[in-house]
Amino acid sequence: MKIRESAENYLETILILSQKNGNVRSIDIANELEFSKPSVSVAMKNLRNAGHILVDGDGYITLTESGRRIAETIYERHTLLSDWFIQIGISEKTAREDACRIEHVISAETFAAIKKHVAGPK
């Protein structure tokens, strides 16, 4: 299922924050992404309606299986591409920014080939 880049970014952010802090609330996402609380609330409603997140009575957000799968895919792309770009001499800032853009549009086939290339011969 194809989802929008912004939704992928939110899911990736939820994954990262949950790994770092354990619990995630909308305010944490707003602070991390420097977005307004109302914008994040609308996005969370959309992600909840799409079945990618669950929000409990205290406002804590968790990823569903589909949300986690999407988030982990995007995060893997981001980290591998960022690290590879840095390794080949691109500044960290530019590498992370470029990886953030590319991670959403690269095909699974191309990413798999890059991943294989980066891993090197076995």
Side-chain angles (χ1 to χ4, degrees):
M1 176 176 144
K2 182 68 177 147
I3 67 168
R4 299 183 79 140
E5 180 178 329
S6 61
E8 291 175 342
N9 279 334
Y10 279 113
L11 293 170
E12 181 184 24
T13 300
I14 294 166
L15 176 69
I16 293 166
L17 289 173
S18 67
Q19 291 173 344
K20 188 170 27 171
N21 304 331
N23 296 319
V24 180
R25 297 176 96 171
S26 290
I27 190 66
D28 304 319
I29 299 164
N31 290 337
E32 181 72 17
L33 297 175
E34 298 179 350
F35 290 169
S36 72
K37 179 78 166 81
S39 294
V40 173
S41 293
V42 168
M44 293 307 102
K45 179 182 176 192
N46 292 338
L47 290 173
R48 189 176 61 246
N49 289 341
H52 298 307
I53 64 168
L54 299 172
V55 182
D56 72 15
D58 294 322
Y60 290 105
I61 300 165
T62 55
L63 295 168
T64 62
E65 185 179 328
S66 68
R68 177 167 295 282
R69 193 170 45 251
I70 293 165
E72 287 175 348
T73 297
I74 296 302
Y75 187 61
E76 177 189 26
R77 290 176 177 188
H78 181 86
T79 54
L80 186 136
L81 291 169
S82 294
D83 293 348
W84 185 44
F85 293 160
I86 291 166
Q87 193 175 58
I88 63 173
I90 298 169
S91 73
E92 185 174 340
K93 180 180 185 301
T94 300
R96 298 209 186 286
E97 289 171 355
D98 287 350
C100 194
R101 287 190 291 272
I102 294 168
E103 69 195 26
H104 302 286
V105 296
I106 193 169
S107 70
E109 178 184 2
T110 300
F111 181 72
I114 291 170
K115 187 175 173 179
K116 183 178 176 183
H117 174 77
V118 169
K122 293 190 179 187

